[in-house]
Amino acid sequence: MDGQPPRVPAQRRPGAAAAGEPAGLRFGVLGPVRAWRGKEPIGTGSPQQRALLAALLLREGRTATASELIDALWGEEPPLQALAAVRTYASRLRKVLDPGVLVSESGGYAIRAAGAGSARLDLAVAQELAARAEKARAAGELTQAREMLGRALALWEGEPLAGVPGPYADAQRVRLEEWRLQLLESRLDMDLEQGCHAEAVSELTALTAAHPLRERLRELLMLALYRSGRQAEALAVYADTRRLLADELGVDPRPGLRELQEGILRADPALAEPSAPVSGPTTVAVRPAQLPATVPDFTGRASFVAELSQVLGSAEGRVMAVSALAGIGGVGKTTLAVQVAHRARGVFPDGQLYVDLQGAGSRAAEPETVLGSFLRALGAADPAIPDSLEDRAALYRSLLDGRRVLVLLDNARDAAQVRPLLPGTEGCAALVTSRVRMVDLAGAHLVDLDVMSPEEALSLFTKIVGAERVGSERKAALDVVAACGFLPLAIRIAASRLAARRTWTVSVLAAKLADGRRRLDELQAGDLAVKATFELGYGQLEPAQARAFRLLGLADGPDISLAAAAAVLDLSSLDTEDLLESLVDTSLVESAAPGRYRLHDLVRLFARACAERDEPEEEREAALSRGLDFYLATAAGVYAIERPGDVLVEHLEPTEYPGLRFAERSVALDWLYTEAGPLLACVRQAAGTGRMRRAVDLLWAAKDLTESGADSRAYESTATALCEATRAVGDTRAEGRARTTLTNVLLVSGRIQEAAEEARKAMELGSAARDAMAISWAANDRGLTCLHQGRHPEGKPFFEQAIEGYGAIGNRPLEALSLSNLSRAHLGMGNVAEAVAIALRALTAYTSIDRTLRLANGHFTLGVALAAAGRHPDALSQFSDALGIFGEHRQRLWEGTTHFRIAEVHLAARRPAQAAQHCEQALALGCIGGDRMRGTVLTLLGRALAVLGQADRAKACWREALSLHEQFGGREQVDEVRALLEPATAV
């Protein structure tokens, strides 16, 4: 734990040969001077002999004379037998190296061998990687450049030329360390360019502590803090740097550092990532010109315009450029295609053809008819136009030969309808729009058009309604475009209705669209209607497709996995995948990722309306019940894998539909965190229904979602909704369990008073329902709230009650958990020896179960007790074990909390730099206890920085901590920080 280096990508060391690699010589100087033959190390002799080897290796094959080697090894005071010693060292090295590697030449020596020397020297490998990184960065490949620099830096194994004497080695050590820092600065610079600001702060804090006069590191730290929203600390870093440079060197910071400070003070936009505007091609009017007019309020879509324009612009020199644009009805395919076609007119001086193929309707246009129209537009007389499709297509291609014409085929039904209409000659291009993805259109450049971004949607709404009306009600306008699902057609309809009604405010329209059941009815104006657009696509579905579409629309959630969809549809995975992929091709369903599907919000409302119209109520309820069973059965399995021996799963509601089964814990956790959004949505949807008890138990089984920190807010809102719903129907057992889940998330977020009240209610309700598991769980939670509030004697009996209750139902892991918490109660009461003894009992109980998540709690608790006993090395060992297990189980907040405890130990052991580094890691990860705990971490970080002489940054940390403690902490924490901010206070 002490001074851990930053994580770097896995890198084969110079001494580790890959499988199957020739067993040649390899040398290392970026650490101890070493040599290997294949995988076997070679003895390099005494320090002076290693100094000779290093001097030769660093010359990269060039000859070093005897006098140069003597100077390198001994400097100005060589021993009397220096020359003889050099010859002896060279002779010994020649014996252990391969023949012909160390050669004598012109009274000196050199290392020359194929596969050895610079080609097999770790320094040369690092130099090559650094050069490749520089080229990659110049080419804009930042990810590759960072990876290369990471591999180069990973080659260092401590101090270069470690243990090698002599002035030459001393000079080279300085040079190599300086180069390492330059590489590190370059990699950190690229970290910031790629948005890894919060992650970089911890490493930069440690580096600036180790190299306080290195201004580039200070500059990077300032920028990282600023981009992480910590402006006050960034400015404090500058103040600390200026004072340090004045005190130590009598100079001011360099201009770059001063300019950065000034930029931070004025919130210079240049400190954020720039975005370059996209320029469009000029347009020139030519004939034939069948393109429809562009809309005057065309908005956004800059990346799509650029992409399609580039493809069309490459038509010259190609047989044919075809772009097929797909998306749901109303997403703006035609508008975009017409806009792009107009921009590309200059590329096609011989004309532009357009046709609406009416593919979404019941009577799509026949290719023969379309070809007749095109032939007339291209100058063919009616008598010259053949009757058959094949002859018309042949004449069409003949007339296009040698011409540069753009063909816009709008609203196509499928690829079969499009093929006869495609030009077949060089210089022509076709742009196709369809609700169906044209995967079977050979050579086509496929583009899937999604809805607008919120900014684009608001801009379109503003252009139609007027800036004055929108400017005064911006929030309501955002609500409107969100209710429209950012779908351009829906936004245009809503905006047109508002523009035509001067007495309406934007808020009136937002209120009308807030009712999901009437939203589609509201989104119609004149001959435009969102529902009618969707109905066209729905009407073309096969019966099995239509059923799948209806039932999928019933399930809430951002998306749905293939396995969950199979449960809802009550079909096999293979049959479900076939159906969903066919719906993706119609653009009614989107493929969010491999094996995941989603419906646009308005499409979902339409699908639900179809389900209510076409599906019996019992079938709708059965589909939702199967989906809930799937999530509950699978989440219970994940909980069991995570916590072997925990019998909670035996106390959950039974399920009829099976869930997934996992052989590996990592795969199980992947499922839980990936499914967090749909799972919580399924729970919320079941509130107030007959499925509510299962929904409560699903939330309980998925408690890792709140302890990981990634989904805490969604988990809390879901738990709150269930508490209200269970109370409304008078289900005591379900309400008690719901309040248990809410208590958990409140404890994690640091809202202790609220958690204490919920735990009290949960315990009363569990007792009334005689729910043994809930009673014991609530007792443990009540004890935890007492610990957080400093009421340790009051917490002790609650933990003892939980231990007894868990023991009665055979739940050994949770019994051990309450033992760990009992240890903390004794610690708070001053019974340190008793606390250590109980923590050891808990750890022994955990160890007998397996290396589980709960075992991390045992190590953590014992670490806290040992730290209080002043046994710092033992405490760090326990925290290190806990950190590893929390990381394996993706408990980010517990990782952060453990880093905080490690920082406490380091500061107590007078290691402030390491303490500051672990505090930064705790801040980056977050901690159990939310903002309240963040204030505590900042207080400790300030103490460490103050010891390091960074007084201004320490005060910035304390000021932020004070603000947090005044909102979320207690009087004791507020008084502590205020005392630290007093100028005369000693740290």
Side-chain angles (χ1 to χ4, degrees):
M1 305 301 303
D2 194 350
Q4 289 182 342
R7 296 178 181 175
V8 294
Q11 163 67 30
R12 180 167 54 86
R13 298 293 184 186
E21 186 178 84
L25 285 175
R26 284 182 297 279
F27 299 95
V29 295
L30 299 178
V33 176
R34 291 177 291 179
W36 298 265
R37 180 179 292 104
K39 296 181 180 180
E40 297 300 321
I42 298 172
T44 52
S46 66
Q48 285 79 12
Q49 188 169 306
R50 292 197 302 275
L52 176 70
L53 176 61
L56 295 175
L57 287 170
L58 290 174
R59 287 180 176 268
E60 300 178 343
R62 299 187 304 275
T63 300
T65 65
S67 61
E68 288 174 335
L69 291 173
I70 291 172
D71 288 341
L73 268 64
W74 292 287
E76 297 179 357
E77 298 181 359
L80 294 176
Q81 302 298 320
L83 180 58
V86 166
R87 290 171 176 167
T88 300
Y89 298 151
S91 175
R92 292 173 181 171
L93 286 172
R94 189 179 288 115
K95 291 178 182 178
V96 297
L97 301 179
D98 292 345
V101 172
L102 197 159
V103 298
S104 301
E105 185 177 83
S106 303
Y109 299 94
I111 289 183
R112 291 177 187 157
S118 62
R120 307 299 293 166
L121 179 64
D122 58 358
L123 175 59
V125 175
Q127 289 169 336
E128 179 185 352
L129 288 168
R132 290 166 60 188
E134 185 175 352
K135 290 181 181 178
R137 186 176 188 180
E141 299 289 342
L142 285 184
T143 300
Q144 183 181 357
R146 286 175 68 201
E147 190 267 339
M148 293 293 177
L149 281 186
R151 288 170 56 190
L153 288 164
L155 292 171
W156 265 264
E157 297 187 80
E159 182 184 50
L161 308 175
V164 174
Y168 180 78
D170 291 340
Q172 292 299 314
R173 262 191 292 272
V174 173
R175 178 180 71 87
L176 293 173
E177 175 61 15
E178 172 62 26
W179 187 53
R180 184 187 73 86
L181 288 173
Q182 290 173 3
L183 294 181
L184 197 52
E185 288 169 347
S186 295
R187 199 217 75 216
L188 287 163
D189 194 17
M190 286 186 277
D191 287 350
L192 299 190
E193 286 187 54
Q194 291 203 309
C196 302
H197 318 309
E199 296 87 342
V201 169
S202 172
E203 188 174 355
L204 283 164
T205 296
L207 286 169
T208 53
H211 306 279
L213 297 177
R214 199 168 185 90
E215 292 183 69
R216 179 57 180 157
L217 289 175
R218 298 271 185 160
E219 184 178 341
L220 290 169
L221 177 58
M222 288 175 65
L223 186 57
L225 288 167
Y226 177 71
R227 288 184 176 176
S228 300
R230 299 161 68 176
Q231 179 179 356
E233 284 188 66
L235 294 171
V237 170
Y238 178 81
D240 287 331
T241 306
R242 183 177 60 183
R243 186 181 61 253
L244 179 67
L245 291 173
D247 292 345
E248 297 290 332
L249 305 177
V251 298
D252 291 327
R254 62 189 180 89
L257 207 60
R258 294 198 301 272
E259 291 168 5
L260 177 59
Q261 183 227 18
E262 293 168 1
I264 291 173
L265 287 172
R266 64 173 184 272
D268 188 350
L271 296 181
E273 297 178 9
S275 58
V278 178
S279 59
T282 59
T283 60
V284 179
V286 294
R287 286 185 178 276
Q290 294 187 343
L291 296 177
T294 59
V295 294
D297 48 26
F298 181 81
T299 303
R301 307 299 202 186
S303 62
F304 289 107
V305 170
E307 178 182 352
L308 291 168
S309 297
Q310 182 179 7
V311 174
L312 295 181
S314 67
E316 186 175 5
R318 294 175 56 184
V319 173
M320 179 176 54
V322 180
S323 290
L325 186 60
I328 62 173
V331 79
K333 300 181 294 295
T334 299
T335 302
L336 174 60
V338 170
Q339 184 77 15
V340 171
H342 272 280
R343 291 196 176 200
R345 289 172 68 184
V347 182
F348 303 96
D350 297 318
Q352 304 89 39
L353 299 171
Y354 170 84
V355 64
D356 179 0
L357 294 173
Q358 301 175 29
S362 58
R363 299 182 63 182
E366 294 294 336
E368 296 97 321
T369 305
V370 175
L371 281 171
S373 176
F374 280 176
L375 288 170
R376 293 184 187 94
L378 292 169
D382 281 355
I385 298 175
D387 292 330
S388 70
L389 172 62
E390 292 76 9
D391 290 343
R392 287 187 176 191
L395 179 58
Y396 172 64
R397 291 191 294 271
S398 297
L399 291 176
L400 290 177
D401 186 32
R403 305 174 71 173
R404 294 172 62 186
V405 175
L406 172 63
V407 182
L408 175 49
L409 305 173
D410 191 22
N411 195 15
R413 178 184 58 201
D414 52 28
Q417 185 190 29
V418 166
R419 288 192 190 99
L421 308 178
L422 296 177
T425 56
E426 179 181 326
C428 292
L431 184 56
V432 185
T433 74
S434 176
R435 299 188 183 198
V436 177
R437 299 184 76 248
M438 298 274 178
V439 292
D440 51 347
L441 191 60
H445 174 75
L446 302 181
V447 176
D448 293 319
L449 187 60
D450 202 352
V451 297
M452 288 181 148
S453 68
E455 294 78 14
E456 291 175 335
L458 183 61
S459 178
L460 174 60
F461 185 77
T462 303
K463 286 181 179 180
I464 299 172
V465 174
E468 184 177 349
R469 294 178 75 180
V470 174
S472 60
E473 293 186 275
R474 179 180 172 82
K475 183 180 183 304
L478 287 171
D479 291 339
V480 169
V481 296
C484 292
F486 309 111
L487 189 73
L489 175 62
I491 296 166
R492 187 172 296 280
I493 291 172
S496 299
R497 290 190 68 196
L498 183 62
R501 292 163 175 80
R502 303 303 301 177
T503 59
W504 282 16
T505 63
V506 182
S507 298
V508 168
L509 178 61
K512 287 179 174 293
L513 295 176
D515 183 356
R517 298 184 66 85
R518 286 197 46 79
R519 188 176 303 163
L520 289 176
D521 295 326
E522 293 288 345
L523 290 174
Q524 54 185 348
D527 61 349
L528 294 178
V530 172
K531 185 188 293 186
T533 300
F534 295 157
E535 194 72 61
L536 289 172
Y538 177 68
Q540 295 184 353
L541 299 179
E542 298 293 332
Q545 290 176 312
R547 173 184 179 269
F549 175 68
R550 293 191 297 268
L551 295 185
L552 279 183
L554 295 173
D556 282 349
D559 62 1
I560 190 168
S561 68
L562 177 60
V568 171
L569 301 181
D570 198 17
L571 296 173
S572 70
S573 292
L574 288 177
D575 289 341
T576 300
E577 185 174 23
D578 288 343
L579 278 173
L580 295 187
E581 287 299 325
S582 69
L583 288 172
V584 169
D585 288 338
T586 68
S587 296
L588 284 172
V589 172
E590 303 170 34
S591 178
R596 303 198 70 82
Y597 302 90
R598 66 184 175 210
L599 279 72
H600 181 273
D601 290 347
L602 295 180
V603 175
R604 187 193 304 278
L605 291 177
F606 174 73
R608 287 185 180 178
C610 293
E612 291 175 2
R613 181 186 67 198
D614 301 334
E615 291 286 346
E617 182 179 354
E618 55 270 21
E619 178 55 25
R620 301 199 303 269
E621 177 59 30
L624 292 173
S625 182
R626 288 191 298 269
L628 177 57
D629 272 1
F630 166 79
Y631 283 121
L632 176 54
T634 309
V638 175
Y639 186 97
I641 289 176
E642 276 282 85
R643 300 166 174 83
D646 191 330
V647 300
L648 172 66
V649 293
E650 299 173 13
H651 293 255
L652 302 178
E653 287 289 304
T655 58
E656 295 181 6
Y657 197 91
L660 299 175
R661 293 290 179 264
F662 304 105
E664 298 180 8
R665 177 182 51 76
S666 61
V667 178
L669 285 176
D670 284 340
W671 178 89
L672 181 63
Y673 294 123
T674 301
E675 293 295 327
L679 183 152
L680 294 174
C682 179
V683 172
R684 288 191 295 272
Q685 191 173 13
T689 71
R691 308 185 301 276
M692 190 156 56
R693 279 199 171 192
R694 280 178 290 161
V696 170
D697 283 357
L698 171 55
L699 194 62
W700 201 358
K703 68 183 295 290
D704 280 345
L705 293 178
T706 184
E707 292 190 0
S708 73
D711 304 282
S712 297
R713 290 187 179 179
Y715 189 100
E716 179 183 349
S717 66
T718 304
T720 301
L722 283 181
C723 288
E724 295 171 356
T726 51
R727 182 175 57 82
V729 300
D731 189 335
T732 303
R733 178 178 180 275
E735 184 185 353
R737 292 186 170 203
R739 295 197 180 279
T740 293
T741 65
L742 183 57
T743 302
N744 186 58
V745 74
L746 291 170
L747 281 168
V748 169
S749 63
R751 289 140 65 188
I752 306 304
Q753 188 58 46
E754 296 174 61
E757 179 60 19
E758 291 300 330
R760 182 190 64 78
K761 291 178 182 178
M763 194 167 181
E764 291 176 355
L765 291 162
S767 299
R770 298 184 179 180
D771 187 349
M773 177 62 74
I775 294 170
S776 299
W777 200 292
N780 183 74
D781 285 345
R782 294 192 73 179
L784 285 174
T785 62
C786 290
L787 291 189
H788 284 293
Q789 293 174 332
R791 299 183 289 116
H792 301 92
E794 295 178 44
K796 178 173 173 290
F798 285 122
F799 293 132
E800 291 170 343
Q801 179 182 355
I803 292 167
E804 182 180 353
Y806 285 137
I809 59 178
N811 202 327
R812 291 177 58 212
L814 291 183
E815 184 180 357
L817 173 66
S818 295
L819 265 175
S820 295
N821 293 332
L822 180 62
S823 167
R824 293 172 60 190
H826 278 284
L827 197 61
M829 295 161 61
N831 305 328
V832 177
E834 182 69 13
V836 172
I838 294 175
L840 282 169
R841 282 174 53 200
L843 183 59
T844 301
Y846 284 132
T847 306
S848 68
I849 299 168
D850 201 353
R851 183 179 171 84
T852 65
L853 175 58
R854 297 295 187 195
L855 179 59
N857 292 330
H859 285 300
F860 179 88
T861 302
L862 181 56
V864 172
L866 291 170
R871 295 164 58 180
H872 296 153
D874 293 337
L876 287 175
S877 176
Q878 295 299 322
F879 287 139
S880 177
D881 290 341
L883 196 61
I885 300 174
F886 284 138
E888 290 174 14
H889 291 258
R890 307 179 202 180
Q891 296 293 301
R892 181 172 61 84
L893 297 182
W894 275 109
E895 283 188 84
T897 304
T898 307
H899 276 295
F900 165 73
R901 291 293 189 177
I902 292 171
E904 283 188 317
V905 174
H906 279 306
L907 192 59
R910 301 177 185 272
R911 293 188 289 267
Q914 290 91 329
Q917 183 179 3
H918 285 283
C919 281
E920 288 290 0
Q921 289 176 284
L923 291 172
L925 291 165
C927 294
I928 297 291
D931 287 330
R932 178 174 174 273
M933 188 62 183
R934 180 178 176 84
T936 302
V937 177
L938 284 166
T939 303
L940 186 66
L941 175 59
R943 288 182 179 275
L945 293 171
V947 176
L948 290 168
Q950 300 181 31
D952 288 313
R953 189 179 167 198
K955 290 178 181 178
C957 291
W958 290 333
R959 282 191 289 269
E960 185 181 348
L962 180 61
S963 175
L964 290 169
H965 282 316
E966 286 175 340
Q967 296 178 69
F968 307 106
R971 173 52 53 188
E972 183 179 345
Q973 290 90 350
V974 171
D975 291 344
E976 176 191 2
V977 180
R978 281 180 176 166
L980 288 170
L981 286 167
E982 290 294 328
T985 300
V987 178

